[in-house]
Amino acid sequence: MDSSYGLDLNKPLYDGRYSWFDHSKFGGTVYEPKPNDPSTRTTDPIVTGTSVLAVKYKGGVAIAADTLLSYGSLARFRDIRRIHKLNEHTIIGSSGEYSDFQYITRMLDDVVTDNHIADNNLQPMDPKSIFSYLSRVMYQRRNKQDPLYNNIVVAGYRNGESFLGSVDLLGTHYQDDHIATGFGDHIARPLLRNAYKPDLTKEEAVKLLEKCLTVLFYRDARAYYRVQICTIGEDGVNIAEPQVLQTDWSVGNVTYGYDGRRTALPQA
Amino acid sequence: MQTVEPVLACAPLPNVKEQGRFSPYTNNGGTVIAVAGKDFCVIAGDTRMSEGYSITSRNVSKVIQLTSKCVLASSGMQADIATLHKLLLIRLEQYKHQNGREMSTTSIAQLLGNTLYGKRFFPYYTFNVLGGVDDKGVGCAYSYDAVGSFERTPYSSSGTGQQLVQPLLDNQVAKKHQPNVLKVDVSAKEVEEFVRDAMTSAGERDIYTGDHVEVKTVTANGVVHQRFDLKFD
């Protein structure tokens, strides 16, 4: 019996296009690189997102990022979502070059769909498999000296098991109970390590990430106060709408030597 | 006729002058040790993974069991280590299907050397120690450089704690600079405890070594795995 549903199972799942579907046969066009095309590679990231934070809780994983994309020091785009749902068991978040993240989401969306169709039981792809696949792609690109300039966090929940892993542009990958990328590794990670316990509730986890994002906003000049705190767990995937962090800058009134208006601490 | 280039009315990209060249390498740190005995070998590695001054994870394994008589421990760049380990496991599985038995430890030693040399001009940034028992049931350890040079030695260490650990091994395993001390056969238990102490010492002074230590003891009967805590600082 033919169980391949018309797919050539000998071909690699991802063939460099955005889909196994051949658009050129149906009037669409697919750009094929030509021999004299200039070679292109990312030497440094241009439009970037800052930290992604994630923590496991009892019955799921919470993952958070702000909605800012920076162009150097310019706050270029202020409402961009950096957390993406791949399937019912997996979400990913990205820091680093946003165009590379768009490429990655399109690639993984296709891989996940192909796998879903090719699998006779129509089981959604496992978070572990997606993480493994992504790790190899990131590593192969670093081998070509043409890296995808990201640090991607993969969060998942399947069969009562939480998954949380991170991959960077070199292919370095690991799984942990809590993860913070970029500046968050310096500022939020110690807070996460301090507060983490295996029986953390979902509400506590979300509250913890909210606190970490606030601290990051105070000190990371590329961070923003509009954030998404998403969860994946027993109750399914929740890609939350952006929310605004409550901040308190009253400390500015007791600082001195900064704005030139005050040269000494106010007397008590 | 000469044409005039239009002036672009958009902001220049940041850092157009000095393009940061991408480095495909990083050192994620860690220390690995192998000590061979008469009919056993003890292989150990810590589980810390670092990036610069940050500890990225406290629980990433560097030590893998390749066969029932052979264990490999690698420090260096985690992505390369993971790739190398994956590749070796695949090749050993193929060997098992083709030959109906596991590859001998001495052959694995050569295979690892060839695999590393195969990437001589874009090396795996890995520093390996291999340990196990050979076909005669004698404990053995192998020491490598990143491009595949290797030798069989009674004991070896690699990684960020190597400078701290190797003199200790010279003195305590080979009894170097101890003219009046006789070398006697030691038990696997004694070596396990010694290796654990050596890792503790490395963790004391090397910031890239710590968290946990995995100790695998290989005998002709198979591999026994142990795990201990190191300092978390």
Side-chain angles (χ1 to χ4, degrees):
Chain A
M1 198 187 83
D2 182 25
S3 59
S4 66
Y5 295 96
L7 274 173
D8 184 357
L9 296 177
N10 294 318
K11 273 166 86 177
L13 272 177
Y14 183 65
D15 61 1
R17 294 180 194 150
Y18 286 145
S19 174
W20 51 267
F21 183 84
D22 191 352
H23 297 266
S24 58
K25 283 189 183 154
F26 298 88
T29 52
V30 175
Y31 183 76
E32 296 287 350
K34 290 170 187 65
N36 289 328
D37 280 359
S39 77
T40 52
R41 65 187 57 179
T42 315
T43 52
D44 44 23
I46 306 295
V47 179
T48 57
T50 185
S51 319
V52 175
L53 314 175
V55 63
K56 278 187 190 173
Y57 58 81
K58 200 169 188 290
V61 188
I63 176 169
D66 64 31
T67 60
L68 179 71
L69 290 185
S70 303
Y71 178 81
S73 59
L74 174 72
R76 184 66 183 81
F77 304 106
R78 293 182 292 177
D79 187 20
I80 303 291
R81 286 121 206 257
R82 296 191 281 124
I83 297 172
H84 177 82
K85 176 185 166 184
L86 285 173
N87 61 25
E88 288 309 316
H89 302 305
T90 320
I91 51 181
I92 56 172
S94 159
S95 58
E97 173 64 42
Y98 189 68
S99 63
D100 283 347
F101 179 59
Q102 289 179 314
Y103 169 82
I104 288 168
T105 53
R106 276 156 187 71
M107 175 188 73
L108 288 182
D109 278 341
D110 273 10
V111 168
V112 165
T113 314
D114 288 359
N115 238 297
H116 193 81
I117 294 165
D119 191 325
N120 289 325
N121 298 318
L122 290 179
Q123 288 289 315
M125 206 171 163
D126 198 273
K128 279 181 210 164
S129 312
I130 294 172
F131 181 66
S132 181
Y133 187 97
L134 181 61
S135 308
R136 295 335 290 165
V137 171
M138 298 295 273
Y139 184 74
Q140 285 180 63
R141 290 292 294 260
R142 89 103 212 193
N143 281 349
K144 290 185 198 168
Q145 294 271 352
D146 185 16
L148 295 164
Y149 253 95
N150 303 93
N151 198 331
I152 307 276
V153 176
V154 179
Y157 188 81
R158 192 178 193 186
N159 300 333
E161 216 183 304
S162 294
F163 178 90
L164 181 57
S166 144
V167 213
D168 74 3
L169 71 166
L170 294 170
T172 316
H173 57 281
Y174 65 97
Q175 295 170 45
D176 217 326
D177 296 329
H178 43 74
I179 284 170
T181 66
F183 209 51
D185 192 35
H186 296 102
I187 284 191
R189 200 82 190 275
L191 303 172
L192 292 171
R193 280 192 178 131
N194 226 317
Y196 178 77
K197 51 184 200 276
D199 57 349
L200 210 67
T201 66
K202 180 178 163 182
E203 289 68 32
E204 285 172 325
V206 169
K207 200 101 191 141
L208 175 61
L209 290 188
E210 194 179 327
K211 184 186 149 199
C212 289
L213 287 165
T214 312
V215 175
L216 268 169
F217 178 55
Y218 284 135
R219 282 295 173 179
D220 179 1
R222 305 285 165 262
Y224 205 48
Y225 61 90
R226 262 170 70 82
V227 301
Q228 278 179 289
I229 306 176
C230 306
T231 56
I232 179 165
E234 292 161 335
D235 52 352
V237 180
N238 173 34
I239 302 289
E241 281 302 303
Q243 61 179 97
V244 170
L245 292 174
Q246 293 304 309
T247 52
D248 175 12
W249 297 98
S250 60
V251 68
N253 296 323
V254 291
T255 59
Y256 68 99
Y258 177 68
D259 59 4
R261 278 180 293 165
R262 209 179 287 112
T263 53
L265 274 174
Q267 296 301 309
Chain B
M1 203 178 81
Q2 223 178 355
T3 52
V4 181
E5 283 290 315
V7 178
L8 289 177
C10 65
L13 297 177
N15 307 320
V16 272
K17 257 189 182 169
E18 39 182 273
Q19 289 197 332
R21 248 190 78 70
F22 168 69
S23 165
Y25 288 118
T26 184
N27 190 352
N28 299 110
T31 307
V32 289
I33 302 175
V35 178
K38 203 177 155 199
D39 54 0
F40 64 88
C41 185
V42 178
I43 300 98
D46 68 315
T47 66
R48 177 171 293 182
M49 187 176 93
S50 309
E51 188 88 54
Y53 287 124
S54 291
I55 297 168
T56 36
S57 188
R58 299 188 188 279
N59 196 14
V60 176
S61 185
K62 297 175 177 64
V63 189
I64 55 156
Q65 184 181 340
L66 294 175
T67 66
S68 62
K69 291 186 179 62
C70 186
V71 167
L72 172 65
S74 324
S75 66
M77 177 179 166
Q78 189 268 343
D80 276 346
I81 292 168
T83 309
L84 179 66
H85 286 186
K86 223 171 219 182
L87 187 69
L88 287 173
L89 286 175
I90 291 166
R91 295 185 69 166
L92 290 169
E93 194 66 25
Q94 285 173 333
Y95 181 95
K96 210 159 70 180
H97 288 307
Q98 279 163 4
N99 298 281
R101 62 181 164 82
E102 285 181 332
M103 194 185 284
S104 68
T105 303
T106 43
S107 301
I108 294 173
Q110 186 64 51
L111 171 66
L112 175 56
N114 294 346
T115 306
L116 291 169
Y117 193 77
K119 272 177 70 68
R120 172 62 180 80
F121 299 107
F122 183 26
Y124 286 122
Y125 195 64
T126 59
F127 302 98
N128 303 286
V129 293
L130 185 79
V133 288
D134 65 16
D135 286 338
K136 293 175 183 137
V138 179
C140 58
Y142 290 87
S143 175
Y144 293 81
D145 76 358
V147 289
S149 315
F150 72 104
E151 63 169 350
R152 185 169 170 164
T153 53
Y155 57 91
S156 179
S157 69
S158 259
T160 50
Q162 187 187 32
Q163 290 91 334
L164 299 163
V165 163
Q166 196 67 34
L168 189 71
L169 294 166
D170 289 336
N171 188 250
Q172 292 297 306
V173 181
K175 306 293 180 194
K176 294 269 170 69
H177 320 298
Q178 293 184 277
N180 301 321
V181 177
L182 285 173
K183 267 204 266 186
V184 288
D185 285 339
V186 283
S187 68
K189 183 115 185 67
E190 284 173 287
V191 175
E192 281 166 10
E193 277 171 24
F194 167 70
V195 163
R196 191 179 158 184
D197 286 346
M199 289 299 285
T200 309
S201 303
E204 201 69 38
R205 288 285 182 170
D206 176 22
I207 58 166
Y208 299 114
T209 301
D211 298 326
H212 306 281
V213 57
E214 291 179 314
V215 182
K216 287 190 196 283
T217 307
V218 188
T219 63
N221 300 320
V223 181
V224 179
H225 176 79
Q226 287 173 288
R227 187 187 161 91
F228 307 103
D229 285 349
L230 292 177
K231 276 168 64 162
F232 263 52
D233 62 357

